[in-house]
Amino acid sequence: MEAKDKEQDSFSSHLSMKSDNSKEEPLYFSQEERTPPGAETSKTGAKSPAGVSQAQSVDDFTLPPQMENWTKDHVKDWLTTKLRVPQNIVQNLFEQEFSGACLVSFEKRDLLELGVPLAPAIQIVRQVEKFKQQFSPGLSVSTQEVSGTIHESMETQTVSSDSGIQSLSSTLLILQEARNRIKSVMDQKSTNSKFLLPEVTDSPIKLKDLTDQKSTNDEPLYQEITDSSTFLPPNQPICQIRAFDKSNPSIFYTHNGRLPPVAGPSNLLDPVHEYHLLPDANETSEIEILHEFTTEVFSFAASCMNSRTNGTIHFGVNKQPGQGHGQVVGHKITSFSKYIEILNSRLWDYFEEEHVNAASLCIRPPNFIHVYLEDGTASDNWVIEVDVVPTYSQTQENIFYTLLSIESTEKKQQSKTECLFLRDGSRSINILADTNPRRVQEEMKSLIVKVKDWASVRKTAEETDEKPPSQGNQGQRLKQLITRGREAFENSIQVILVTDKCHPDQLEHLDFLKEMKLFAVLEFDPESDVNGTCSFYRRDHVGNLHFPRMYDTQDSVTTTIQKLNLFHQTSWVFCNGQVNEESETDKPLTPSEWLKKRSGEINNVVSFLFKPDLLSKDRLLVIIILHSAVDMDISSPILEAFCAIYRTLEGFDNMLCICKDSSVFGRWRQLVEFRCKEDITSKCIFALSLNEISSTIKKLKEPQTQSSRRFLPSIGSSSVLLTKKDEELMTVLDILCENECENTEIETQESFEKFKIKTEEDFYRGGQVTWWNFYLSEKDRLPFISRDKYSELYDLITPVDGYTNPCVIINLFHHPGCGGTTLAMHVLWNLRRKFRCAVVKNNTATNQEIAAQVINLLTYGKQEQSSYMPVLLLVDNWDDVEDLKQCILNVASVKKQHNQLVVIVLNCERTRFPDESSRNSRTANVLITNKLSIKEQSLFTEKFEQLKDNHKKPETFYAFMIMTNNFSEDYIKNVVSNIVADLDVSTQEGRLFSFLALLNTYVNGSYMSLSLCEELVGIRNTFWKQDTLDVKMNPYSTLMITFTVDEHGSYQAVRLLHQMIASKCLEVLTLRHNMSRSEIIVDLLHCDKLYKSCMGKDFLVQTIQSMLVTRQRKEQGDEKDTFFSPLVEDIDEREGSDNIKDVLEKATCRFDKSATLPQALARYFCLREKDFKSALKWALDARNKKSNSYIADTVGQVYKGHLKKEIEAPEQLTPEALDECLKLANSAVDAFRDSQELAKKDDFLDAYEMHHKKRQKSYNTSGYAGEIDVIMILLDGITELPAFSSHDRHKRDKILQFLKGQHPVSSLNDSSNPTFDRFVAVLADHERFLTSLMPRLKEIFNYFESYFTYLKPRSLEKETADERNKRKVSEYFRKYMQIFRISVEEKASEKASKPNLSMGQEIVDQRCYLEIKRADSFAGLLQHLNDKSPAEMEHILRKWQFIFENSQSTSVSDTVNFILANIVLHSLKPSSTLLKRYEVLVSLLNEALQKEGTHSRLTEMYYLSMLLMWPLKDKRLESLATYRNIGLYITSAKKSFHRRYSHMFPSRSAIAHFFLGRSSGLRQIVSKAKLDQILMQVSRQQASCNGQNSQQRKLHVLWQSGEAWNQPEIQKKLLRIEGQSEQGEIYVNYGGALKMQVRPVYLGDIRSGYSREKLSFYLGFTMEGPVAYNIKYENEDK
């Protein structure tokens, strides 16, 4: 169109509610300049005739002429500049999204509600009215041929501009009404006329103008073309032809009867006809017949679609001109379905991919018309008819090419040839067949113009056609839309439903929703949860009731998924509130109010739900169900939601609209067409009832692979029905029912065999084993391969003697990829009738969540009773099984009997060293390795022969073949080398393969989402795609597998078959294709597509970061401890350090918010490059990005490394260098102290570690350790200085006295040695820092003593690391003593030379001895409980006694330590004469308690009160105030302990060092060490009798299993206390007001229900308070 024409048409185009020729998003006015209605501007800038410029200038800034189109920024500028409204009021409105649409619709009352004062509110309202009058566009409308009046009460409808809705002013409404009047007149005057009308415009118009209008070349667009050579012979009957686009099973044709002569296009809506006779079936094969059938249909269809005319092609009718033209002959047809299927399946071969969807909707399914003989009897012949309906909504202005197979006469072979068919009279012609290129080029140029004209005519013809919309294809359309052109509606499709109020009578027909994977529902019926769709759905399924604001969050996608339980339970979003809500915030609103207050929330919901990294577009279907007519109001809430979805999805492709009837559809179509400028008819179903729709959809559903009724085993061989709704509540568990896979729908279908083969193939290729694999193996009576350890694991789970613990952990250690998880699931399968079996399917779930659902499974279907069917729970590579066990016990809502089992946790632990892991494990375990026994090898060989019977190429099941070849590296190398040899690494396929090889080699369990892989290799992410990744990646796809991920959403993912395969692939890429690891990772970092929104993006980003930063640690089952990740270590070894820096720096740029990458870079510069300046830069960068103890520790490590380098330099330290070292040491100490403070509030989970589910909780003590390191390095440097390392002992002592703070630094000056004085001057500058080092070291050592003595790790596996840390601290302490303490010989020599040492100095010496022996603190004394010789403890007590008796004023801490020294010695040697009497110790403690009160931080004092003053039946201490206050002191102990150590509770628990014994006095205090000695003796005796090594009866096994409490020798030592359970707690009552609370060690030992029960237990004493072990209820059966 020329520029002038464009200007002339701009006005009408803005007024038209009809679509223009291109699809565009709904009208969405932003700050971009768009020509408003009625505003026409010429090139010279002249105003339009209406007098309205394109934009209005208001005080030096430009605003759109229509206020409704203003953004909130426009409004803000106008209020501030023009109206001069106070800034605070303007800012308040701006923050409340106050746009122009709001401005014109708000009244004074509305502004007042928003907090605008009265005066400005009045000013704003009046100025708005003034602006409307000043800038209202003037429009003229000719109504010469239009009668009637327009309703005067039409009001301006306004909506929020930021929601993408166009404002419709009253002027537009008037024009639209005028247009409708014009159209009505035209329709009346053109009744029965055949001329074609152009599109109605909104400019002044007369009917004569319409009738005279011509096409652009002044010729009629179409003339009726009739072949003059065709005629009807006289006296031959003419058959009644089937109504176009309608199926009529009652119609038939008569043999030799005549159909009307063929004709060319007339008015485009009346169909053209074409006749054909197919080859004789007796002379031609069926394949050739079907080929000709499809070729003719698609050629005819393409010609009709390009010419925009309806048409029908008839097979079985003579097409030859002359007397036989149109004669009905018919064909013998053996199968109708073959003709239907061949059309559906061959569309992709004939049409371009982008037009397949349009072609499938334009080409109707074949109709088969029976041919009767002339005598009225039925023949065997049929006429096949195919209708073509190229509606404008499907064809738009597109040109449709086809690809036909044409035989080459030269090469005698078929080749694909591109064709372009048009209707030429009564025939179809291919304009590309012309051999003259110039003519073809001219024809194509002409065709482009013609197609636009034809499309316009077609659109006008459809609009003016009085016939109702065709309803004959609604069922076919529904099938097409719901299945996306496939055979069935796939179960994996995620459905988002948008719906309004449904009448209760119609709810039963919505049952098809219950069979879909309903991801979310946007509900616009506020009563839905009471009597609507929501209530109906929730009868059988879980639907979580949500409000839109719950999606307006700053949380990550993964976090929101977990919070809202997305993918596991349907999110039912009430978009207009709920009628029964008490809060005004969530009550229903009117449309206008909703627009102002909730439309933004809906945009947020839609934006989140349709994120590419949440739902894959090709697995998504949006169903919109409209039960009632949508008001003709563009501000309708459901329309707002629809437009938001339309914008987000960029079209209708993923949509299906179900309208109650044609009237609802009509209104909906008009609204959508006005808003979106697109016709939605092709996506709508409106002629079918809900019952018909429901039945059709249910029929199209994929067969179910799960039993419709699922049962759980129960006590006494009974069963319990597990309902679907209850199963959905257990979101983290994959429950294995006793009738799993039995009586399923799939097994009754013809597709079962295909399903069976695919299930087996997926598993043996390397996919995760499923329950179906075991079921099919049993069904076919082909035993599933069992590893040799199967029986051992089975027997361990089902011991003959049963279990004594309610929760048991069993570890299965295995090499990655050797079948460990398969073995575990095999055991579960065979125990599914003896246990309630389940697998944790979501590795991101918390232990508390898992525990709660496990107990729900345990008690499901049971009333409160004494016995339950135990749960067998499988977890895969769980990080903190001990914590999971504790959580299970904590939430167990059961009444347990003695020795009753509740839960067995089977943990499959992947490790490279299963043998070592098994030896070090303190729990029962089984191990399997990647080496097969001879028996196992024979089983795999036999299985391979069986697979040959049912599978074409079982040798390509490489995961299975790896095991069959006993994990032979040579076999893997050969396979990989052969397949990857020809890989072109420069292609996108090669790029993807290299990414997977790198990820799968270095990060176990890594993968990439299928949609991302498809995008990388160029597979278009469309709803109707047919290309697959397997085909695109062939032959390399034989090494890849696709599987479903449920942890971070639900989507398809891709990985290589086996980690060993990945490793070999990477090796081949490196050696044969010269791709280094650094090149691949850099390419991975530079690939922008990976980091855009896509499925699994968060996990992939975490995986990449983990690959770069996660180090190996022996304690986690790795081969060795490494400084860097395995990838970085390998790059360093193979490629050099420069590549490492390049990789880490690029990674830091890519993940600019990550703190762990700059941390890794800092560690690299520090440890490998010794470039401490660069290291510090990156460490501080990491510290600024994230504040936690580990990052702060890295800063300290950099300073420490720099300090160490300076101290250890070969050159002697100068005073200047010493000054630098002291500054470095000071900075390092500050950084480590910062680290230790941050450790108290650490978030234990780093983002890059998310793929591990979670790290075991641990309290980071590296700050303390680093501080000790720095101080020791510094002290070594100072004491080794030549100036200070003199053999002059006097000078050495003076330096030590200075460091101890006993002498000032000035005492070190030596006027005779200037160099020495220069060093002293440096020390003087740092005197405060240096004198703080020794007390700080002492403080840290005391901390570690308490840390290791009072608390123990909650995880048994952490105890090994604890022991290693203890040894390290002990070594530090020894070194500390060497520096600051003189030897015993020196001390004796000093005493001899100075016999009159003061008593104070003697006490100091005694304390020095105690410090050396680690007996100067309460925690240190407790450690002496394990001393084998009591002689040293006696010596220690003497020292304490000397201090206690000779100190001028005894501190409370000294008194407490002295009392404990007596208790420890009594435990080691009760007969020692040094021991104080029990009463004396009690008296001393009582004095201390009276002095300190109940708010002291001295937890140890309150601990002693429990040991010495726990009341017994003889009430020996009744006369003391302490006895009456013992309950208060126990509370004080707990509070004091929590103040000191609560930040460590997530990782550690208090230790019970003593238990309450049967005797009295000090003999009632029984140490844990003493009980250990008794158990060791018992263990040795039992081992001797059984001929076993005593090491097999480890102490921890006896304590963990509870067997220790059953030993008679233990029972003789300990006193069993009687108490009572109240409100879920344990109390011991000693009469009067003395009632003390005791904490159970295992919370699961307390029954639920808050029942008051009498019970008994053994009493242990921890620093936190008394604890109960081995709890028994009085009424338990013995």
Side-chain angles (χ1 to χ4, degrees), residues 797-867:
I797 295 173
T798 58
V800 177
D801 298 333
Y803 291 95
T804 57
N805 267 2
C807 186
V808 176
I809 297 173
I810 297 175
N811 281 325
L812 172 59
F813 297 106
H814 63 95
H815 280 114
C818 75
T821 305
T822 300
L823 172 62
M825 292 183 68
H826 194 189
V827 172
L828 260 67
W829 175 261
N830 289 330
L831 288 173
R832 68 189 186 280
R833 292 183 173 89
K834 294 183 179 180
F835 294 87
R836 291 189 173 180
C837 300
V839 180
V840 174
K841 63 183 178 181
N842 184 0
N843 282 343
T844 61
T846 63
N847 286 339
Q848 291 83 355
E849 185 179 12
I850 296 169
Q853 294 187 21
V854 166
I855 298 306
N856 286 341
L857 177 61
L858 176 78
T859 61
Y860 184 79
K862 305 282 287 184
Q863 299 297 324
E864 188 74 17
Q865 60 185 56
S866 60
S867 59

Side-chain angles (χ1 to χ4, degrees), residues 1398-1409 1442-1448 1454:
S1398 65
M1399 180 61 68
Q1401 184 60 47
E1402 186 68 27
I1403 291 175
V1404 170
D1405 291 342
Q1406 301 297 332
R1407 291 188 185 277
C1408 288
Y1409 174 85
F1442 179 85
I1443 295 171
F1444 184 74
E1445 292 176 352
N1446 293 287
S1447 296
Q1448 291 183 356
D1454 283 348

